[in-house]
Amino acid sequence: MNSNQDIVEHPARTLLDLASGKRSILIVCHNNPDPDAMAAAQALKVIFFAQKPKRKVVIVYGGIVGRAENRQMLRRLKIEMTSIKDISFRDFSLVCLIDSQPHTGNNDIPRAVYPQVVIDHHPLNAATKKCDFYDVRPGYGSSSTILTEYLRELEIPVDKRLATALFYGMKTDTGGFSRSVTKADLETFNFLAPRVAPRTLAAIENPPVPKGYYLKYVDAIESCVVYQNVIVTDLGKIGNPDIPAEMADFLLRMEAIRWVLAMGEYRDELILSVRTSRRGWWAGKIALRILRGLGTGGGHERAAGGKVALAGMSPEERKVIRDRVAERLLKVVGVGDVTGKPLFASRNQEQS
Ligand SMILES: [Mn+2]
C-alpha cells in the first residue's frame, strides 16, 4: 500500500503503481452520472490504457443518463458506459469510484465492497479512508480538474474529444466557472480551453429536447411557493431523475431568491435538489441535515442533492415526506415562520 505522502506528491504515478498488474479494471460513476463524472471516468480509462493497452477497462453507472446534454456528450465524444446491473464485481481485479465516495448513497457499489481507488471532490467521507488509494479534494471545482492534472503529470496526450469532455465536466460542475473555482481549476481551464472542439461542445450543450421537457418547466413554475428568499417546488412524478437539479438551477436565477428546493418522484424515490447563491452555507451539509433519518444526500457549497426511498408508501405518506423535507429546509435557512406565497398567484399583479 502507498503512503498518503506518495498520493499527495505524485498521485497519478502512485495510482499506476497500484494498477500495474491489473488486467481488468472497473470504473464506477455515481448514479445518474453528470458530465463531470463521465469525463473523469473517461480520462481514468485513457490513463489505464496508456499504461497497458491490452487490458479490459469498463465504465459503469447506476441509475440512468437523463439529461439530453449528457446523452449527447456520450454520443459525440464516444464515451462508452455500461449499466452497473450488467456487470459482476468479481470479474474485475481493480474497482475505482469516481466523483463519489463509499457509503454516500449516490453510487450502487455494494456496501461491503470497498473500491481500491476513490477520486472525488466532495467532502471526505469516513468510509473512504478504508480504501487503498483515495485522492479527495473538496476544494476543487470538479473531478475533471483532478484527472486533467493526472494526465499532465503522466504526460499523456489529451485529444480533442477528451479535452472537450473534461472542459464540459468542469464547466457544468462549476456553474460555468462561476462557483467553487480554485487556482487549480483555472490552470486546468487554461490547459484544456485551446484543445476543445468548440462546435462539438456547442452541439452537446444545445441538444434537441422532447416536448415534455417544456411541460416540466410549466409544472415547476406552477408549483413554486415563495418564502421570502426561498423557493420550494414540487414537480410531482418525473420521467428523469435529473429534472429537479435542472429546475433548481433555472429558478435560482430569480431576483431576490437565494435558495431553491426542487423535488420530484422518480420511480419509487423522491429526488431532491438544493441550490443556493449564498456563500459559506454548504448546501451539501444542509441536504444531509434535512434528510436525516429519511434518506441520503450531500454535495457542494452551492449545489446539493439527495433522495428518499418511497417504495411501499401510499400517496399520503409520500406527501408527508415531501412536506417534512420542505419544512426542515425552510427552518434551517431561517424562514420557518414565513407563510409561503404561490408564485403563480402574483402573475396578474406583477407583469414586470
Ligand atoms: Mn463532480
Side-chain angles (χ1 to χ4, degrees):
M1 201 175 139
N2 297 286
S3 75
N4 258 10
Q5 200 52 36
D6 292 332
I7 296 173
V8 170
E9 280 169 14
H10 29 77
R13 262 167 240 287
T14 310
L15 174 66
L16 285 189
D17 282 348
L18 182 78
S20 65
K22 312 290 186 191
R23 300 194 56 83
S24 55
I25 299 177
L26 185 68
I27 301 173
V28 184
C29 295
H30 57 71
N31 294 347
N32 312 318
D34 59 17
D36 183 40
M38 300 192 293
Q42 180 69 7
L44 190 59
K45 185 176 177 177
V46 166
I47 288 170
F48 286 141
F49 274 134
Q51 183 185 31
K52 192 178 287 207
K54 283 192 174 161
R55 67 190 356 164
K56 179 165 105 176
V57 183
V58 178
I59 302 174
V60 295
Y61 63 97
I64 65 163
V65 179
R67 279 191 197 202
E69 290 90 332
N70 300 357
R71 290 199 299 271
Q72 190 82 331
M73 173 181 173
L74 295 184
R75 205 164 62 87
R76 301 293 291 238
L77 301 178
K78 312 246 183 285
I79 298 172
E80 282 179 34
M81 301 206 308
T82 308
S83 170
I84 200 164
K85 294 187 191 103
D86 298 334
I87 58 98
S88 166
F89 280 84
R90 272 171 303 170
D91 294 339
F92 297 90
S93 44
L94 184 70
V95 176
C96 311
L97 179 59
I98 299 300
D99 204 37
S100 175
Q101 294 176 51
H103 302 187
T104 50
N106 78 338
N107 65 75
D108 279 349
I109 296 183
R111 253 188 110 77
V113 175
Y114 284 87
Q116 292 99 320
V117 174
V118 176
I119 303 170
D120 189 24
H121 67 123
H122 295 84
L124 182 64
N125 206 32
T128 305
K129 294 180 189 163
K130 286 195 176 181
C131 303
D132 290 345
F133 176 100
Y134 63 91
D135 187 357
V136 174
R137 309 189 199 180
Y140 274 44
S142 69
S143 294
S144 295
T145 311
I146 304 174
L147 267 296
T148 307
E149 288 188 3
Y150 285 17
L151 289 159
R152 295 180 71 183
E153 181 193 329
L154 298 166
E155 296 176 24
I156 295 172
V158 179
D159 67 14
K160 266 184 185 304
R161 274 187 197 137
L162 184 56
T164 306
L166 290 163
F167 186 85
Y168 187 52
M170 285 188 77
K171 187 173 175 183
T172 52
D173 255 36
T174 58
F177 308 106
S178 69
R179 61 177 185 230
S180 317
V181 182
T182 61
K183 191 163 162 273
D185 295 305
L186 291 175
E187 240 161 63
T188 299
F189 174 95
N190 286 334
F191 173 79
L192 291 173
R195 292 168 169 81
V196 165
R199 279 159 71 178
T200 307
L201 181 61
I204 291 168
E205 290 184 304
N206 300 289
V209 287
K211 289 195 190 90
Y213 174 84
Y214 295 92
L215 300 177
K216 270 295 147 199
Y217 276 83
V218 177
D219 291 347
I221 294 166
E222 264 182 352
S223 69
C224 274
V225 182
V226 183
Y227 303 81
Q228 287 177 2
N229 62 352
V230 186
I231 283 182
V232 176
T233 185
D234 182 352
L235 301 157
K237 291 229 186 295
I238 49 178
N240 158 0
D242 290 344
I243 289 174
E246 190 153 358
M247 296 304 151
D249 283 333
F250 168 65
L251 292 166
L252 188 62
R253 290 178 53 195
M254 199 179 299
E255 266 177 2
I257 294 301
R258 307 304 298 273
W259 291 91
V260 178
L261 167 65
M263 303 181 269
E265 269 186 42
Y266 175 70
R267 293 182 178 160
D268 272 330
E269 282 180 339
L270 178 69
I271 308 277
L272 62 96
S273 194
V274 177
R275 293 289 185 274
T276 183
S277 55
R278 295 193 65 172
R279 301 197 68 167
W281 275 63
W282 278 89
K285 282 186 193 155
I286 284 172
L288 260 177
R289 252 171 90 176
I290 66 177
L291 288 166
R292 190 169 294 155
L294 298 174
T296 53
H300 303 282
E301 186 177 11
R302 305 204 195 186
K307 63 180 184 180
V308 181
L310 302 172
M313 289 188 194
S314 66
E316 294 74 28
E317 288 168 318
R318 292 173 183 220
K319 170 121 188 7
V320 169
I321 299 277
R322 292 199 299 275
D323 289 347
R324 186 169 306 159
V325 168
E327 270 165 32
R328 283 182 178 179
L329 176 96
L330 295 170
K331 203 170 162 204
V332 169
V333 303
V335 293
D337 300 328
V338 174
T339 306
K341 294 191 184 100
L343 180 68
F344 237 54
S346 63
R347 190 158 88 136
N348 297 323
Q349 296 138 34
E350 293 173 41
Q351 289 282 0
S352 55

